């Protein structure tokens, strides 16, 4: 059983696909364990949404079980932050945050690590081990409990933290981006691409959610072999596991953090402000600090893998099939192969393509699905969306659907295999949208003069389309008050309700919002 798809491939769709023969696709005659156009079409909405949510905190929090691999780069002179308990610059492998708030959490914690999670002693000498999520000392402090949380034991001296600031000394062009919430230490599938693909056969491999240092060692060992400089992941903020600080960074400064029992150390709203900083990056980390090569995408959704979640209560979340060793080995080989060639300049901004689709249709589809819409208002909206694609001198609805479906799909001079698969996936989604809207248009036009101001039930085809698309934009909070933040479950915080129905919350409302992540989160 594969992830469900509502898309029915019609003969017209197959004919239309044949017109894009310039796009390189897997052979359709034999279905092996490699990437295949049939899988790209069947999993089209998931591929579409993975592109839309890439390097965005919001969609990656809702669709937190990432299934895709990309190459990425960070420009020269990009500021990065590291929270630790030493003022000395890091030389080898460690974690970096893209945001100050993220690194500050670990700079203010007692003990080594941050946003890094190093082993005891803060370096390789301590050896890897299984540690709780969020660093060697557990998750970030809970709201209102920082003093108790940081209370030292009798035999342990207080260690005050440092916020280290670095700047890239050259472009980092060989980074691996793992999508979803791939830094969330959960047993729900957030770590599948690391534990069951990249690090399955490593001597530091682990399936323990807290074994993050071993994961980092594994991926940096792969990096030495395949030229990967670091790994970009996301938890409550985006992070970079950089395999060699000394080779890539300029050390700017290390600022000691204030004592917790001093007035300048009072930060009762630290969790709320941290979440506010995370929320500011819901739609991207801004300033071009990470550039993803979408033409390099390697996704489990391209392959004939059974992504059904064995936990029936979480059927909407994909899981990699641990028992399919051959299939996962192929996925791993292809994910590493994207680093074998040189950098490309003619890549396709597939996120920009899907953004065009989402921004055109997201609000309008919800409007068409509203329960207080008249037939006349619905027809007016659909006419607005579709009229541009109709040539009224030669009325051909199949041609109009084809034009509507391909309007945002770009021509490609030298497409990669991934470009071809993505093209078919995005085309499947846009064709579903356009054909559904033309179907509803036909129903409304068929009513003739009866189209009036009568309020009727929404057309079920619109609701089916919305369920098929499953866009993260439909769960956004809208504008919250200045003393509120739009709150969605982000490891290690959040309740089931926060995942299913995110909303605006005040600082005082953060306490007790837990339970979604099970035993490896609050």
């Amino acid at each position: 059983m594969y992830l469900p798809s509502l898309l029915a491939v019609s003969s017209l769709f197959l004919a239309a696909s044949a017109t894009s023969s310039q796009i390189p696709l897997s052979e359709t005659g034999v279905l092996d364990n490699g990437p295949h156009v049939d899988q790209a079409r069947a999993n089209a909405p998931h591929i579409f949404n993975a592109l839309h949510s890439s390097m965005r905190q919001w969609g990656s929090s809702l669709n937190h079980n990432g299934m895709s691999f990309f190459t990425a780069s960070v420009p020269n002179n990009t500021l990065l932050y590291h929270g630790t308990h030493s003022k000395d610059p890091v030389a080898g492998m460690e974690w970096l945050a893209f945001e100050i708030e993220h690194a500050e959490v670990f700079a203010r914690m007692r003990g080594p690590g941050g946003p890094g999670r190093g082993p005891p002693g803060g370096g390789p000498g301590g050896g890897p081990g299984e540690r709780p999520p969020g660093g060697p000392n557990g998750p970030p402090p809970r709201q209102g409990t920082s003093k108790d949380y940081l209370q030292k034991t009798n035999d342990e001296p207080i260690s005050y933290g440092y916020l280290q600031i670095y700047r890239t000394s050259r472009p980092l062009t060989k980074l691996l981006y793992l999508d979803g919430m791939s830094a969330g230490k959960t047993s729900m599938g957030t770590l599948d691409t690391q534990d069951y693909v990249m690090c399955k056969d490593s001597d530091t491999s682990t399936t323990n959610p807290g074994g993050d240092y071993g994961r980092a060692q594994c991926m940096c060992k792969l990096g030495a072999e395949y030229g990967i400089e670091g790994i970009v992941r996301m938890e409550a903020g985006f992070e970079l596991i950089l395999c060699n600080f000394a080779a890539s960074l300029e050390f700017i400064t290390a600022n000691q953090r204030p004592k917790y029992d001093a007035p300048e150390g009072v930060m009762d709203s630290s969790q709320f402000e941290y979440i506010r900083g995370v929320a500011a990056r819901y739609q991207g980390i801004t300033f071009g600090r990470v550039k993803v090569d979408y033409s390099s995408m390697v996704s489990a959704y391209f392959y004939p893998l059974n992504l059904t979640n064995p936990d029936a209560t979480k059927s909407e979340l994909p899981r990699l099939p641990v028992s399919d060793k051959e299939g996962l080995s192929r996925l791993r080989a292809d994910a590493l192969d994207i680093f074998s060639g040189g950098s490309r300049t003619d890549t396709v901004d597939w996120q920009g393509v899907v953004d065009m689709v989402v921004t055109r249709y997201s609000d309008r589809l919800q409007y068409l699905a509203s329960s207080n819409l008249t037939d006349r208002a619905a027809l007016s909206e659909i006419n607005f969306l579709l009229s541009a694609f109709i040539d009224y001198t030669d009325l051909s609805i199949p041609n109009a659907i084809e034009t509507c479906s391909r309007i945002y799909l770009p021509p490609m001079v030298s497409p990669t295999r991934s470009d071809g698969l993505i093209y078919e996936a995005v085309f499947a989604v846009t064709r579903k949208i356009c054909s559904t809207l033309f179907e509803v248009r036909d129903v409304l036009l068929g009513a003739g003069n009866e189209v009036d101001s009568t309020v009727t039930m929404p057309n079920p085809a619109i609701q089916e389309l919305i369920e098929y698309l499953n866009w993260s934009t439909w769960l956004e909070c809208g504008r919250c008050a200045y003393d509120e933040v739009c709150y969605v479950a982000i490891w290690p915080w959040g309740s089931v309700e926060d995942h299913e129905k995110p909303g605006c919350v005040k600082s005082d409302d953060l306490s007790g919002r837990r339970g979604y992540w099970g035993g490896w989160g609050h």
Side-chain angles (χ1 to χ4, degrees):
M1 177 182 178
Y2 298 96
L3 284 179
S5 172
L6 299 177
L7 180 63
V9 183
S10 66
S11 59
L12 176 61
F13 170 65
L14 292 174
S17 297
T19 65
S20 61
S21 58
Q22 78 277 13
I23 308 300
L25 300 172
S26 301
E27 293 296 329
T28 57
V30 179
L31 185 64
D32 58 11
N33 65 354
H36 199 279
V37 61
D38 290 348
Q39 299 305 318
R41 290 171 180 160
N43 290 320
H46 306 292
I47 296 168
F48 186 101
N49 290 340
L51 291 165
H52 185 256
S53 298
S54 171
M55 285 303 298
R56 290 172 176 167
Q57 184 83 42
W58 182 257
S60 299
S61 298
L62 293 166
N63 301 312
H64 49 70
N65 287 5
M67 294 283 119
S68 305
F69 309 80
F70 303 82
T71 61
S73 60
V74 171
N76 192 22
N77 294 319
T78 299
L79 290 176
L80 297 162
Y81 310 94
H82 178 67
T84 184
H85 282 73
S86 169
K87 66 186 305 181
D88 298 326
V90 178
M93 179 194 78
E94 255 295 357
W95 279 251
L96 289 158
F98 286 89
E99 309 299 338
I100 293 173
E101 296 93 339
H102 194 181
E104 282 274 38
V105 170
F106 300 93
R108 294 178 180 278
M109 290 170 61
R110 172 171 49 83
R117 310 138 195 42
E130 309 305 310
R131 271 163 293 282
N137 296 309
R142 292 186 291 275
Q143 179 76 4
T145 61
S146 58
K147 291 184 179 179
D148 293 338
Y149 184 83
L150 291 156
Q151 185 65 44
K152 70 182 182 67
T153 59
N154 292 332
D155 58 349
E156 183 178 5
I158 281 287
S159 176
Y160 299 110
Y162 292 85
L163 175 66
Q164 295 187 353
I165 303 176
Y166 294 85
R167 180 185 290 120
T168 53
S169 56
R170 60 177 178 82
L172 307 178
T173 59
K174 294 284 188 177
L175 302 178
L176 171 63
Y177 168 50
L178 303 172
D179 73 343
M181 198 176 295
S182 53
K185 267 60 72 182
T186 82
S187 58
M188 298 171 66
T190 55
L191 298 168
D192 279 8
T193 53
Q194 295 160 84
D195 292 351
Y196 302 135
V197 180
M198 304 306 289
C199 297
K200 179 63 176 176
D201 300 320
S202 169
D203 55 6
T204 62
S205 65
T206 177
T207 56
N208 185 316
D212 221 31
Y213 193 76
R215 288 185 194 93
Q217 283 186 311
C218 155
M219 289 187 286
C220 283
K221 184 177 180 180
L222 285 174
E225 182 177 354
Y226 290 90
I228 302 170
E229 298 175 291
I231 302 90
V232 178
R233 310 188 307 176
M234 190 199 84
E235 52 176 16
F238 284 91
E239 65 178 28
L240 170 61
I241 301 173
L242 191 60
C243 299
N244 188 336
F245 271 47
S248 311
L249 300 178
E250 173 191 357
F251 178 67
I252 304 300
T253 188
N255 295 331
Q256 183 177 320
R257 313 325 296 134
K259 298 180 180 180
Y260 281 93
D261 55 359
E264 59 269 24
V266 173
M267 294 189 183
D268 294 336
S269 61
S270 59
Q271 184 189 355
F272 180 79
E273 292 303 330
Y274 178 19
I275 297 298
R276 192 199 295 273
V278 170
R281 304 296 181 244
Y282 277 160
Q283 302 308 325
I285 65 169
T286 70
F287 199 48
R289 289 179 288 170
V290 176
K291 182 178 180 180
V292 176
D293 178 1
Y294 296 104
S295 294
S296 72
M297 183 183 192
V298 172
S299 178
Y301 295 124
F302 295 164
Y303 296 76
L305 295 168
N306 185 349
L307 303 180
T308 304
N309 196 320
D311 183 351
T313 66
K314 296 180 174 62
S315 60
E316 75 284 1
L317 298 173
R319 294 297 306 267
L320 289 176
V322 182
S323 60
D324 189 352
K325 296 181 180 179
E326 184 178 346
L328 294 182
S329 294
R330 175 60 187 269
L331 178 62
R332 180 180 188 270
D334 288 350
L336 291 171
D337 188 58
I338 60 179
F339 289 92
S340 61
S343 59
R344 293 167 47 89
T345 58
D346 54 348
T347 61
V348 180
D349 180 9
W350 285 110
Q351 186 174 68
V353 172
V354 301
D355 280 351
M356 293 284 283
V357 177
V358 172
T359 52
R360 178 170 178 81
Y361 294 108
S362 179
D363 290 353
R364 291 173 172 131
L365 287 176
Q366 286 294 335
Y367 173 64
L368 288 169
S370 61
S371 58
N372 61 348
L373 194 66
T374 66
D375 283 350
R376 185 177 182 84
L379 181 59
S380 175
E381 184 69 23
I382 289 178
N383 282 341
F384 171 81
L385 288 170
L386 301 181
S387 183
F389 309 119
I390 302 172
D391 181 359
Y392 289 94
T393 64
D394 181 21
L395 190 60
S396 170
I397 297 306
N399 287 345
I401 292 174
E402 183 74 8
T403 302
C404 174
S405 302
R406 294 188 185 275
I407 191 67
Y408 293 124
L409 288 170
M412 287 171 280
V413 177
S414 56
T416 64
R417 178 177 62 183
S418 297
D419 285 328
L421 295 165
I422 294 169
Y423 187 102
E424 291 298 320
V426 176
F427 175 67
V429 169
T430 55
R431 194 172 199 289
K432 177 73 171 177
I433 295 170
C434 296
S435 59
T436 299
L437 290 175
F438 271 100
E439 173 190 334
V440 176
R441 175 181 178 271
D442 287 346
V443 171
L444 293 171
L445 289 177
N449 294 330
E450 296 179 11
V451 173
D452 54 23
S453 298
T454 303
V455 176
T456 59
M457 293 295 293
N459 190 298
I462 296 293
Q463 189 57 49
E464 177 187 308
L465 175 61
I466 287 173
E467 292 173 0
Y468 166 81
L469 296 173
N470 192 32
W471 287 345
S472 63
T473 52
W474 294 325
L475 287 175
E476 292 175 358
C477 301
R479 181 70 179 178
C480 297
Y482 290 114
D483 61 344
E484 295 177 329
V485 66
C486 181
Y487 193 82
V488 63
I490 299 176
W491 185 88
W493 298 301
S495 65
V496 173
E497 181 180 3
D498 294 325
H499 177 74
E500 296 177 350
K501 296 180 180 179
C504 298
V505 301
K506 297 181 183 294
S507 177
D508 294 342
D509 297 330
L510 289 180
S511 178
R513 306 184 82 94
R514 62 190 68 181
Y516 177 72
W517 303 105
W520 283 97
H522 289 311

